[in-house]
Amino acid sequence: MAIPKKALYLIDASSYMYRAFYALGRLTGPDGKPTQAIYGFAQMLLKVLREKKPELICVVFDAPGPNFRHELYASYKATRQKMPEDLAEQVPLIKKLVALHGLPQAELEGFEADDIIATLAGRASKEDIPVVVVSADKDLHQLVADGRILQWDPQKDEIFTEKEVAARLGVKPSQVADLLALMGDSSDNVPGVPGVGEKTARDLLARFPTLEAVYEHLDDVKSSAVRKKLENHRDLAFLSRDLVAIRDDVPLNLAPSDCRPGEPRYRDLLRLYEGLGFRSLVKSLREDLESMGREVPLRKDASERTVAVVRDLSELERVVREIQGRELFSLDLETTSQDAMRAEIVGIALSWEDHRAVYIPVGHRGEGSEGQLDASLVLKTLAPLLTQDRPGKAGQNIKYEWVVLQRAGIDLRGIAFDTMVASYLLDPGHPSHKLERIAAEYLGESIPSYADVAGKGKSQVNFSQVPVEKAAAYACSDAETTWRLVSVLEAKLEEEKLKELFVSLEMPLVRVLGAMELRGIRVDARKLEDISRDLETKIEAVAAVIYDMAGREFNIQSPKQLAEVLFDKLCLRVVKRTKTGPSTDMEVLEELAAEHPIAEHVLTYRTLAKLKGTYVDALPKLIHPETGRIHTSYNQAVTATGRLSSSDPNLQNIPVRGEEGRRIREAFVAEPGHVLLAADYSQIELRLLAHYSGDEHLVAAFREGADIHRRTAAEIFGVPYHEVTSEMRRHAKTINFGIIYGMSPYGLARQLRIGTTAAKAAIDRYFERYSGVKAFIERTIEHTRKLGYAETLLGRRRKIPELQSRNRTVRQQGERLAVNTPLQGTAADLIKKAMIDIDRVLAEEGLKTAMLLQVHDELVFEVPEEELETARKLVQEKMEKVITLKVPLTVDLGWGPDWSRAHG
DNA sequence: CGTGTCGCGTAC
DNA sequence: GACGTACGCGACACGG
């Protein structure tokens, strides 16, 4: 049923406020104040306004303090009697928000929103105005009357007419109050008739139309037990109905015709949203304004910044003199590409005091491009600033600047502050550390995005085509915002005890990573082409077999088409399902392999196609035309645990297992006269588990240098170390990893394809033998719950709000994170420290060995053959001695002409 | 035609 | 629902 036009929309504000407050968890604005109720409410409201454009609307609130229902029944809404402080402080802002939207609002002392809604709905009906009650609450179902009043929940987009009410509650709207009176409503502390639940209540009302009728015909109630309950609690039943029945006669001085919305105050609304950090709502409001053809108000602070475009040498020299002697300035390069290895400099923005920045255009080709200083002259003039440690440099993702400047012949030194990295340390779980987002959170400001200046998608232009004035405004905004963020973020880092980690680990790492990216790794393109042809042949052969078995050709790479073949055509068993259909993943196919040979072939096909598509054919495209090498990007602000990530290409997931994997790694080669040296930490996370837990058996095993999985197998299977079978060792290995990841008996059972009982027994046995580990896990979870965050050995922190959840599954997830994060995160801390130590010593010793890759617990170096001996010792020493733990850290080394043989 | 999501699979 | 952290491919649905 469609919603009628020209209806009066009555918004149940209080219920949405509460819902959002409890459903959205902790959401806070830039000032740290809670905002989730405001956000949830605003989202709902915007949806109503945008989709329905109501001509009559009223936003209705519960009155604070007691109402007539409390006089009727003392414990009514006892659970909610006092609004939580965190919610109460959001209410005024919600009301302000409604007012700024120009919408009428209503509230009446002594009554709840429901009563006001009912009263207004009644008045509208008398005037033949259709009413839409905007609420998800079932209490309000009692107002629904086909043709006059319907209820709508914009969040789920559910419409309730009499039919839907009947479907949901099993009674007519007019019986809703009677239903709740009989069954009670625990959320509002409505008692109901003790012992009568939803089913009984519904059955009674199916036979008798009203609560009165039920009591008039008590003798006709079949069940004597129910009859007895009804008899005994007659007063409670009628009291309950008085509590739930909505009053439609409140003394409200408001007519439906008073509910016309006024003109929204867009400028103030944007400011309010921005202040609250509601980026997405700001964006959608702006879009609305644009689509209405209205002028979009200026962004806050855009006018508060002094921007100067530097076009002559004397001015540039004046800038240099001004910055000299400062402690810090911020630097932002505008370039022709997001890829630092391909970018050419278009302009340079600098900021060294609040609300002021300069832009030096050097590579613009479009509007205003005349009268630019020559790029090399600018760099030469800036060089004294850039290549000295002092003043320090700040930037947003300043590794990018480092790489680009290196390629331009400038060795940027004194990298002191990266706002992206700082933001990451403050909240590594946050999905974004873009400047735009950081500025919104820590400064409460909305800054122009790159897309605003250069466009996006098809209409995106090269930055060199952006008019100089426009580019200057954008670049200066970035540089100056970065500048102001430094002191704010620095104070936060101090406050959170993260300053040391930032200064001594993450910031020194920036340049080390930049150097690894710049150096890149040599890839043998011809070898990859050979592999590609080989794979192609094999893939075609396997595909032919699959088509033959399927009886037709189809796209094997399409899970949907594959599912059709396997499950419809060949009628194989559906092992498990995904959201969209039967699953065809590896686990399923391995199981189906016992039933039909096609499964095995599909597995082979998948493996080969994966390798070809993701690695063999993708990698050559990423070989740099000038260096002939592959230059990955290491991202320092992505993972929740502190690990690095790698992209374009991801060199951290190059295959290692299997024949084809080996061949792919053979394509990563050393320069002539060099070898690749690979050094990886052995079992670092398990060693950290031993260290943290202090478990005597685990610690002893590592001190003795035992094969840890074999040792574990001996312990849990109760056999001598030398009698452990490979099967037993495999099980033990899975359990060891499972412990680190917080695996459940179910998970272990699935992994090992054993029964849940057997899996549980194995885990019990493990904890029996390694009781220190059990204690560590429990202690860690409790500690994390109290602090609200997990912590690594070097003090990295990750918030774990999941531990506070009332949802058991979410909470268990939190428990796994609480255990896993310190282990994975500390391993990340340690290898980062080792990288910095090694980088420093290599430089000190004047060695030509270069660090190329980091793969979480492994470092790969390119070593001149004559340095191998030195480098081996140095790397091993620095990695193993990175820190002293209760157990030794050991590093395995290997070397060879390519990455595969370096592992040998 | 570009963009976002899903299913899947690679690494540690 | 059930094992932590990533990135990226091809297919597909969707919207302009």
Side-chain angles (χ1 to χ4, degrees):
Chain A
M1 175 170 174
I3 293 181
K5 287 200 184 334
K6 308 224 174 202
L8 168 62
Y9 284 75
L10 297 171
I11 301 197
D12 184 6
S14 292
S15 96
Y16 280 104
M17 227 160 71
Y18 268 106
R19 265 165 210 268
F21 180 75
Y22 286 109
L24 296 182
R26 264 180 212 77
L27 200 65
T28 52
D31 53 5
K33 297 223 168 109
T35 56
Q36 77 273 44
I38 314 173
Y39 185 75
F41 175 84
Q43 245 187 348
M44 178 279 298
L45 184 66
L46 285 178
K47 184 160 186 208
V48 175
L49 296 178
R50 180 179 292 187
E51 291 186 5
K52 307 303 176 192
K53 302 194 176 15
E55 292 175 22
L56 293 172
I57 182 170
C58 187
V59 181
V60 186
F61 293 86
D62 287 343
N67 56 53
F68 70 91
R69 292 185 175 84
H70 295 91
E71 293 167 22
L72 286 171
Y73 186 59
S75 59
Y76 172 72
K77 285 200 179 175
T79 45
R80 283 196 205 167
Q81 210 162 30
K82 198 154 171 285
M83 189 184 276
E85 186 51 38
D86 277 359
L87 175 54
E89 61 180 281
Q90 298 183 56
V91 176
L93 283 160
I94 291 175
K95 289 181 178 168
K96 181 177 171 190
L97 188 155
V98 172
L100 291 178
H101 270 286
L103 306 177
Q105 43 186 302
E107 183 181 298
L108 191 64
E109 202 176 326
F111 296 96
E112 295 183 32
D114 292 1
D115 304 312
I116 299 174
I117 290 173
T119 303
L120 282 171
R123 290 178 189 175
S125 284
K126 279 206 187 105
E127 299 175 32
D128 279 323
I129 301 169
V131 172
V132 177
V133 174
V134 180
S135 173
D137 257 1
K138 63 178 180 303
D139 299 30
L140 281 165
H141 287 345
Q142 50 189 295
L143 301 185
V144 169
D146 284 0
R148 292 189 294 134
I149 303 173
L150 62 78
Q151 188 176 346
W152 175 49
D153 174 20
Q155 283 179 338
K156 286 188 181 160
D157 206 12
E158 278 181 321
I159 291 175
F160 295 95
T161 64
E162 293 185 20
K163 184 169 149 237
E164 282 80 18
V165 171
R168 184 176 176 187
L169 296 180
V171 297
K172 293 189 285 191
S174 60
Q175 297 176 302
V176 169
D178 296 331
L179 179 80
L180 294 171
L182 285 165
M183 65 184 268
D185 186 350
S186 59
S187 66
D188 286 346
N189 252 13
V190 172
V193 175
V196 171
E198 192 180 348
K199 173 104 177 45
T200 312
R202 202 188 293 140
D203 290 347
L204 285 167
L205 290 170
R207 290 190 58 206
F208 313 104
T210 63
L211 187 62
E212 281 80 3
V214 170
Y215 275 98
E216 278 166 29
H217 301 92
L218 262 189
D219 293 342
D220 297 338
V221 174
K222 284 189 211 120
S223 155
S224 65
V226 172
R227 194 163 56 232
K228 195 129 202 169
K229 285 173 196 158
L230 289 169
E231 265 168 16
N232 289 346
H233 299 289
R234 188 187 186 109
D235 289 350
L236 224 39
F238 282 92
L239 170 65
S240 295
R241 201 189 44 186
D242 287 340
L243 290 173
V244 297
I246 302 179
R247 283 188 45 185
D248 61 358
D249 59 349
V250 304
L252 182 76
N253 192 14
L254 192 77
S257 58
D258 299 328
C259 296
R260 293 188 198 288
E263 185 63 9
R265 289 161 53 184
Y266 288 112
R267 186 177 298 264
D268 294 333
L269 270 176
L270 280 173
R271 184 150 300 157
L272 178 69
Y273 286 166
E274 278 168 2
L276 290 164
F278 293 171
R279 292 285 298 120
S280 61
L281 295 184
V282 167
K283 197 162 164 248
S284 74
L285 196 56
R286 285 178 174 282
E287 284 163 4
D288 283 355
L289 284 172
E290 274 162 25
S291 71
M292 286 155 57
R294 295 179 62 116
E295 194 190 339
V296 180
L298 280 179
R299 288 189 168 172
K300 191 176 156 191
D301 284 4
S303 56
E304 298 171 21
R305 188 176 297 119
T306 308
V307 167
V309 178
V310 176
R311 291 188 181 275
D312 61 72
L313 187 59
S314 60
E315 178 62 23
L316 181 62
E317 286 168 337
R318 225 176 356 259
V319 166
V320 171
R321 279 198 300 279
E322 211 177 317
I323 297 178
Q324 287 285 12
R326 295 271 173 163
E327 208 177 309
L328 190 81
F329 68 94
S330 74
L331 168 68
D332 180 35
L333 294 184
E334 301 307 329
T335 65
T336 54
S337 167
Q338 307 276 79
D339 174 357
M341 285 305 296
R342 288 169 171 78
E344 300 301 328
I345 301 173
V346 172
I348 304 172
L350 307 169
S351 177
W352 60 99
E353 56 186 54
D354 290 4
H355 305 294
R356 183 177 165 214
V358 300
Y359 182 66
I360 312 152
V362 298
H364 282 265
R365 297 288 171 260
E367 202 178 310
S369 60
E370 55 288 336
Q372 291 176 86
L373 285 168
D374 173 69
S376 55
L377 178 62
V378 169
L379 288 178
K380 199 174 138 206
T381 312
L382 289 175
L385 278 184
L386 299 176
T387 60
Q388 307 284 325
D389 283 337
R390 294 267 160 155
K393 286 78 180 171
Q396 163 72 4
N397 188 19
I398 199 167
K399 169 160 64 66
Y400 178 87
E401 271 71 19
W402 187 89
V403 172
V404 174
L405 286 170
Q406 282 289 326
R407 289 179 43 247
I410 297 282
D411 181 24
L412 184 70
R413 296 186 49 155
I415 293 177
F417 203 102
D418 191 321
T419 45
M420 178 182 80
V421 173
S423 163
Y424 170 67
L425 280 192
L426 288 167
D427 188 1
H430 200 288
S432 163
H433 302 285
K434 291 159 56 174
L435 188 63
E436 222 183 321
R437 210 279 300 170
I438 306 172
E441 174 162 352
Y442 293 99
L443 300 174
E445 288 176 20
S446 167
I447 61 171
S449 69
Y450 188 82
D452 290 342
V453 182
K456 59 178 175 180
K458 227 173 114 166
S459 59
Q460 179 166 354
V461 299
N462 189 295
F463 199 87
S464 64
Q465 303 300 325
V466 174
V468 171
E469 291 299 327
K470 198 173 168 189
Y474 167 72
C476 287
S477 155
D478 270 13
E480 195 271 330
T481 303
T482 301
W483 163 261
R484 270 182 301 133
L485 274 169
V486 170
S487 53
V488 176
L489 292 169
E490 192 167 29
K492 289 271 184 198
L493 289 169
E494 294 265 15
E495 197 181 314
E496 303 284 333
K497 308 265 186 293
L498 290 163
K499 189 67 187 297
E500 168 71 16
L501 183 68
F502 179 75
V503 170
S504 310
L505 194 81
E506 297 293 349
M507 287 313 300
L509 188 65
V510 170
R511 199 194 47 77
V512 176
L513 295 176
M516 292 164 70
E517 294 182 9
L518 182 67
R519 174 82 174 218
I521 185 164
R522 188 165 179 221
V523 169
D524 185 339
R526 283 175 46 195
K527 189 166 241 153
L528 289 174
E529 280 167 33
D530 289 346
I531 302 173
S532 180
R533 270 195 304 276
D534 241 52
L535 287 175
E536 183 63 39
T537 314
K538 288 183 184 161
I539 287 170
E540 279 172 14
V542 183
V545 177
I546 292 171
Y547 298 149
D548 187 51
M549 289 179 173
R552 66 178 169 98
E553 293 198 3
F554 65 101
N555 186 348
I556 306 168
Q557 308 220 71
S558 160
K560 205 172 131 198
Q561 293 182 35
L562 178 62
E564 259 173 50
V565 168
L566 295 181
F567 306 115
D568 295 344
K569 194 139 204 280
L570 300 178
C571 296
L572 296 181
R573 196 159 45 85
V574 173
V575 178
K576 62 174 176 179
R577 308 189 67 89
T578 69
K579 270 180 266 181
T580 48
S583 168
T584 66
D585 70 15
M586 229 165 69
E587 198 188 317
V588 170
L589 292 173
E590 276 169 10
E591 199 161 323
L592 294 180
E595 293 175 28
H596 198 292
I598 196 173
E600 191 68 49
H601 290 100
V602 172
L603 281 168
T604 308
Y605 180 94
R606 281 254 179 91
T607 305
L608 300 176
K610 170 81 176 174
L611 294 174
K612 185 166 187 289
T614 306
Y615 305 103
V616 179
D617 290 349
L619 287 172
K621 294 180 191 147
L622 292 160
I623 294 175
H624 194 282
E626 288 156 29
T627 67
R629 298 167 74 98
I630 284 187
H631 304 266
T632 185
S633 292
Y634 284 106
N635 202 321
Q636 208 177 342
V638 164
T639 73
T641 54
R643 276 188 178 179
L644 299 174
S645 80
S646 153
S647 58
D648 308 297
N650 180 0
L651 293 186
Q652 293 180 322
N653 72 347
I654 300 297
V656 62
R657 296 182 258 273
E659 160 68 12
E660 309 292 343
R662 186 183 57 72
R663 285 181 73 195
I664 292 171
R665 283 199 176 214
E666 276 174 9
F668 289 81
V669 296
E671 280 289 296
H674 293 65
V675 291
L676 292 185
L677 170 68
D680 62 280
Y681 280 114
S682 156
Q683 307 296 351
I684 187 164
E685 290 180 9
L686 277 178
R687 285 173 198 267
L688 289 168
L689 178 64
H691 171 79
Y692 270 119
S693 68
D695 180 276
E696 57 169 324
H697 294 112
L698 206 52
V699 168
F702 280 122
R703 285 185 180 162
E704 290 159 21
D707 172 338
I708 191 64
H709 301 314
R710 176 172 285 268
R711 183 66 177 264
T712 303
E715 294 281 356
I716 61 181
F717 295 111
V719 298
Y721 184 82
H722 291 289
E723 289 170 28
V724 170
T725 64
S726 61
E727 173 83 347
M728 287 155 85
R729 187 179 181 281
R730 188 174 64 83
H731 280 229
K733 184 173 174 179
T734 305
I735 292 179
N736 276 330
F737 280 108
I739 297 296
I740 292 169
Y741 300 148
M743 191 192 270
S744 64
Y746 176 88
L748 183 66
R750 254 175 44 142
Q751 180 89 17
L752 292 176
R753 293 171 194 194
I754 58 178
T756 314
T757 322
K760 180 159 185 330
I763 290 174
D764 287 346
R765 179 78 180 143
Y766 178 94
F767 283 132
E768 207 176 285
R769 297 306 296 160
Y770 298 97
S771 56
V773 173
K774 188 175 202 289
F776 161 73
I777 290 172
E778 286 162 1
R779 183 167 79 231
T780 304
I781 292 170
E782 194 46 40
H783 182 71
T784 310
R785 190 194 333 273
K786 283 198 185 112
L787 289 178
Y789 56 82
E791 199 167 15
T792 68
L793 211 51
L794 299 194
R796 185 187 306 279
R797 296 173 173 188
R798 174 189 184 179
K799 294 177 192 167
I800 317 261
E802 289 89 341
L803 278 180
Q804 320 293 336
S805 170
R806 285 158 298 277
N807 177 317
R808 191 171 54 89
T809 310
V810 174
R811 211 166 47 240
Q812 284 173 340
Q813 162 88 355
E815 292 173 356
R816 293 194 291 274
L817 300 182
V819 175
N820 176 261
T821 302
L823 299 173
Q824 192 181 120
T826 301
D829 291 352
L830 296 185
I831 196 167
K832 282 177 170 178
K833 179 165 185 297
M835 291 165 76
I836 293 164
D837 292 347
I838 291 168
D839 178 81
R840 192 187 52 241
V841 181
L842 286 174
E844 280 169 6
E845 310 275 326
L847 293 168
K848 293 208 177 78
T849 292
M851 201 185 301
L852 305 186
L853 304 179
Q854 191 253 41
V855 193
H856 310 310
D857 64 359
E858 172 186 9
L859 296 175
V860 178
F861 300 85
E862 191 166 43
V863 187
E865 277 162 7
E866 66 277 11
E867 274 182 21
L868 180 58
E869 189 66 21
T870 318
R872 264 167 49 200
K873 286 186 185 144
L874 186 157
V875 166
Q876 181 162 26
E877 154 109 6
K878 288 296 156 194
M879 285 177 79
E880 291 186 343
K881 301 261 168 70
V882 70
I883 199 169
T884 306
L885 302 176
K886 287 180 189 159
V887 295
L889 280 177
T890 70
V891 169
D892 297 324
L893 293 109
W895 56 92
D898 60 65
W899 195 5
S900 175
R901 277 177 276 187
H903 271 290

